[in-house]
Amino acid sequence: MPPTRVDYLQAVKKASPQAQAIAPALLEVAAVKAAELTGHPGWDRFLEQLQYLLNQEEKSLALWTQSTVDAFSTDDMRFAQRERAKSAAQVELLKKIMNMPSEIVKEFHAAQSR
């Protein structure tokens, strides 16, 4: 019988702080768009982990965008703008990285068929 939610929570409480930080990420592994899947289990798992990071960074981007609007002082606004720019760059980078495995697999199959 698989463990229940209560069993899981008890196990997490006993786990090390590092394991506690990793556990939510494993539970929230996100679905990857079908176009990005490669059919290779290793690459697809990699993409699932990247999708989780992308989702988190997109949330961060939305928060920093709102913080820019809600800033009380010029210094707060500039800080929020810098953080928003960093988050936007991270989102763009993660999206580019997520496109790479499918391109690698396509090139591999193309090279094998030559």
Side-chain angles (χ1 to χ4, degrees), residues 34-50:
E36 294 171 342
L37 292 175
T38 63
H40 185 277
W43 280 121
D44 291 346
R45 177 71 179 134
F46 175 71
L47 288 170
E48 288 172 352
Q49 292 171 346
L50 282 179

Side-chain angles (χ1 to χ4, degrees), residues 2 7 10 13 15 26 37 46 52 60-61 78 87 112:
D7 295 337
Q10 288 174 348
K13 285 180 185 176
L26 293 176
L37 292 175
F46 175 71
Y52 170 76
S60 178
L61 177 60
R78 286 186 180 150
S87 286
Q112 279 188 332

Side-chain angles (χ1 to χ4, degrees), residues 66-111:
Q66 188 60 42
S67 294
T68 301
V69 173
D70 296 340
F72 291 111
S73 70
T74 304
D75 289 339
D76 290 343
M77 183 184 68
R78 286 186 180 150
F79 178 78
Q81 286 174 335
R82 284 191 302 270
E83 293 301 315
R84 186 200 173 283
K86 288 194 297 190
S87 286
Q90 284 290 92
V91 166
E92 184 179 338
L93 177 64
L94 287 167
K95 286 180 179 180
K96 286 181 181 180
I97 291 171
M98 288 185 70
N99 288 328
M100 293 175 82
S102 61
E103 291 175 15
I104 291 169
V105 170
K106 285 177 191 173
E107 288 296 321
F108 175 74
H109 289 305

